[in-house]
Amino acid sequence: MMIENKSLELPDDVFHLFRDLMYEQSGVVLDERAKYFVENRLMHSVQQLHFDSFRDYYFYLKYDRKKNEELANVIDLLTIHETYFFREDQQLKSFSEEILPELFAKKKDAKSLRIWSAGCSTGEEPYTLSMLILDKEEFKDWTIEIFATDISQRVLQSARRGIYQPTAFRSTDPKYVSKYFTKEENAFRILDTVKRNVVFLHLNLLDTNKIAFINPMDIIFCRNVIIYFDLAAKRKVIDLFHTKLKDNGYLLLGHSESLINISTAFALRHLKHDMVYQKLVRNSGTTG
Ligand SMILES: C[S@@+](CC[C@H](N)C(=O)[O-])C[C@H]1O[C@@H](n2cnc3c(N)ncnc32)[C@H](O)[C@@H]1O
């Protein structure tokens, strides 16, 4: 069937409807400057589904019986999925050289580690963590569980496939590429040994009911995700992380993010390579 290629405009009032829908569904805030971004990102879907206007498309998303499938598409199109392997190397050094040895000493008997990569996008972040742990002989007989979650089904599918273009390695030491990937034409496939530590799950960070089923974590990475949220959504997510961290568990945010004005329930720890947050255990005096 021919797809009509008529150019459509997104009126201001309809942009506001999409903005509110996106906030309601994901916590992501689209400011006034995002109007053309929304128009460009959604134009193709409006045309492909043969709607006469963005308004009709909005009503479909809001009220149609099959709205959920299309809503997932809209959330995927309007969220930023930028990521790459070994992003934020100072923080990863703190993880690998300071946090992991500390947890190794502390959990020698249990021999298990639970890490949550919240907002994992196409998988580069959780796979990076898996590689860093595999690099450490001492964790060989440990149970490593890296839960990697995202609101977008499309990025999760790509993460599970585990095939990456060279741009994903823009800040990766080539030794990791040769050690943990196989080359396939112009792309690189991640080895099963790296994949084995990672479980990908579809999860909206605002979905309190679903998050209630998650067991406590030793470390939570949530980098470059809540920067797109407003204060209320940030507070909600950080409070949830607090309940999902074990005592003294670590919270690692993106380098431009902080908990100022969001939460006082974490201590800021100055490690050698970077600063990280740690769940304060009231009255224990051990988190400083
Ligand atoms: C910019 S990427 C960050 C990826 C990775 N953490 C990193 O720092 O490289 C942000 C990811 O957060 C996801 N995201 C946005 N809102 C979300 C929500 N409410 N729940 C879960 N994931 C969300 C997006 O789909 C996107 O894949």
Side-chain angles (χ1 to χ4, degrees):
M1 194 190 297
M2 272 266 291
I3 295 168
E4 245 180 284
N5 208 3
K6 66 181 160 201
S7 184
L8 298 164
E9 267 188 31
L10 174 62
D12 285 348
D13 64 322
V14 183
F15 163 62
H16 292 147
L17 295 173
F18 277 106
R19 180 197 60 188
D20 295 349
L21 181 68
M22 192 59 190
Y23 178 67
E24 218 176 270
Q25 295 291 324
S26 69
V28 170
V29 172
L30 298 164
D31 67 19
E32 291 301 314
R33 288 166 301 176
K35 190 181 126 166
Y36 294 105
F37 165 79
V38 173
E39 189 176 276
N40 285 332
R41 289 282 174 111
L42 301 186
M43 179 74 77
H44 181 69
S45 308
V46 177
Q47 290 174 338
Q48 207 175 35
L49 293 169
H50 303 288
F51 287 110
D52 287 333
S53 67
F54 278 95
R55 196 181 302 276
D56 290 353
Y57 183 48
Y58 172 79
F59 284 120
Y60 175 82
L61 287 168
K62 197 78 185 154
Y63 303 111
D64 195 86
R65 252 186 325 123
K66 286 189 269 169
K67 65 180 183 182
N68 286 346
E69 207 175 298
E70 193 52 31
L71 203 51
N73 181 41
V74 168
I75 290 171
D76 175 53
L77 288 168
L78 298 184
T79 38
I80 306 294
H81 304 293
E82 163 76 1
T83 187
Y84 45 93
F85 288 103
F86 292 89
R87 186 176 195 177
E88 298 183 18
D89 67 317
Q90 289 306 304
Q91 186 186 60
L92 294 174
K93 268 191 183 158
S94 281
F95 167 72
S96 167
E97 295 173 20
E98 298 173 87
I99 296 176
L100 283 181
E102 183 185 304
L103 289 173
F104 179 77
K106 210 167 93 181
K107 305 193 72 191
K108 257 207 247 61
D109 298 329
K111 289 192 174 186
S112 79
L113 207 52
R114 289 171 57 82
I115 301 175
W116 183 3
S117 164
C120 63
S121 189
T122 38
E124 287 86 333
E125 178 178 286
Y127 286 144
T128 296
L129 304 178
S130 179
M131 286 186 262
L132 288 170
I133 296 169
L134 284 171
D135 258 11
K136 293 192 174 286
E137 274 293 305
E138 62 271 31
F139 284 98
K140 231 185 168 105
D141 57 344
W142 281 47
T143 305
I144 306 296
E145 295 172 292
I146 302 172
F147 296 90
T149 65
D150 204 282
I151 197 171
S152 160
Q153 293 279 16
R154 190 189 54 82
V155 293
L156 290 170
Q157 269 170 24
S158 161
R160 289 188 188 105
R161 225 176 7 254
I163 298 172
Y164 294 93
Q165 298 303 312
T167 51
F169 302 101
R170 69 191 88 150
S171 105
T172 304
D173 184 327
K175 77 175 185 205
Y176 287 106
V177 184
S178 47
K179 190 169 175 188
Y180 293 115
F181 293 81
T182 53
K183 187 141 196 317
E184 292 190 352
E185 293 181 8
N186 291 328
F188 299 85
R189 180 188 288 273
I190 197 138
L191 295 187
D192 283 346
T193 42
V194 184
K195 271 185 160 176
R196 221 167 278 144
N197 291 335
V198 186
V199 179
F200 290 99
L201 300 165
H202 181 241
L203 181 77
N204 182 347
L205 290 174
L206 300 180
D207 187 344
T208 334
N209 294 334
K210 210 163 166 186
I211 290 176
F213 291 101
I214 295 178
N215 288 325
M217 299 286 164
D218 296 297
I219 312 173
I220 298 177
F221 280 81
C222 185
R223 309 187 304 168
N224 311 299
V225 180
I226 61 167
I227 32 167
Y228 302 105
F229 293 5
D230 73 348
L231 191 59
K234 281 181 184 167
R235 284 190 174 143
K236 180 170 176 181
V237 171
I238 296 296
D239 283 352
L240 281 170
F241 287 159
H242 191 262
T243 64
K244 291 296 151 190
L245 270 176
K246 295 181 188 171
D247 288 351
N248 298 315
Y250 287 99
L251 173 63
L252 281 74
L253 302 174
H255 78 274
S256 62
E257 302 169 275
S258 89
L259 293 184
I260 294 171
N261 288 330
I262 299 174
S263 173
T264 54
F266 293 85
L268 184 62
R269 270 195 65 183
H270 295 253
L271 300 182
K272 229 173 25 213
H273 300 286
D274 203 2
M275 289 184 287
V276 299
Y277 287 101
Q278 193 169 22
K279 177 171 173 171
L280 265 178
V281 182
R282 306 265 177 214
N283 308 321
S284 79
T286 58
T287 56

